[in-house]
Amino acid sequence: MLSQISPWERLPPVRLCELVDVELRTHALPSLFAGQRIILIGVPGAFTPICTKNHIPRFVELAPSLKASGFQQIVCIAPDNPWVMAEWGKQVDPQGRIRFMSDGNLEFGRHAGLTVALPALFVGECLKRFVLISNNCVVEKLSVEKSVFDVTCTAASECIASCS
Ligand code: BEZ
């Protein structure tokens, strides 16, 4: 595994995938985020209880404030396929405030050194729970939970407090 990405490093040249209507759109980094200050939220899995009931709903709730404070995009990624990500997005964010993209090939997770294996839960290799702030494709801040079951430094409220 590559070492964990750090502040001041550039986002890796990897791809994420988004389902838009019935079409798969592959987005290349860093151009997806070029010229923008963005929040990239990484979670271990779509539809998992903590992500679905706690972590992501708070970002959905606070998305208007985060956007008002200058973040142009909020993107949530997980190692699930693009169809699962789209269905999950419809459930947790029916108004479409956040974009839900697949890192199903773990291109971002592995290049950024942000994966973990959870075989005891039959989750396999997945993303750590993290929040990455990028400004014009340069990492400004990275918060990573010590355990995927924690939502402390990656909470939306923390993001509002420290990044706006
Ligand atoms: C969660 O609830 O977010 C979760 C569940 C199992 C593994 C990882 C995360």
Side-chain angles (χ1 to χ4, degrees), residues 4-18:
Q4 188 171 294
I5 197 165
S6 303
W8 301 110
E9 285 189 68
R10 290 189 65 76
L11 295 178
V14 297
R15 299 164 305 157
L16 296 172
C17 188
E18 181 180 35

Side-chain angles (χ1 to χ4, degrees), residues 43-53 55 88 116 118 121-123 126-127 129 148-151:
V43 294
F47 290 103
T48 52
I50 298 165
C51 302
T52 304
K53 294 187 189 137
H55 196 199
W88 188 45
V116 62
L118 301 171
L121 292 166
F122 290 80
V123 174
C126 64
L127 295 179
R129 192 181 301 283
V148 288
F149 306 113
D150 291 338
V151 182

Side-chain angles (χ1 to χ4, degrees), residues 5-6 16 30 32-33 36 43 46 50 58 62 84 131 136-137 148:
I5 197 165
S6 303
L16 296 172
L32 174 66
F33 300 134
Q36 298 184 351
V43 294
I50 298 165
R58 293 291 291 144
L62 293 176
V84 168
V131 168
N136 196 18
C137 304
V148 288

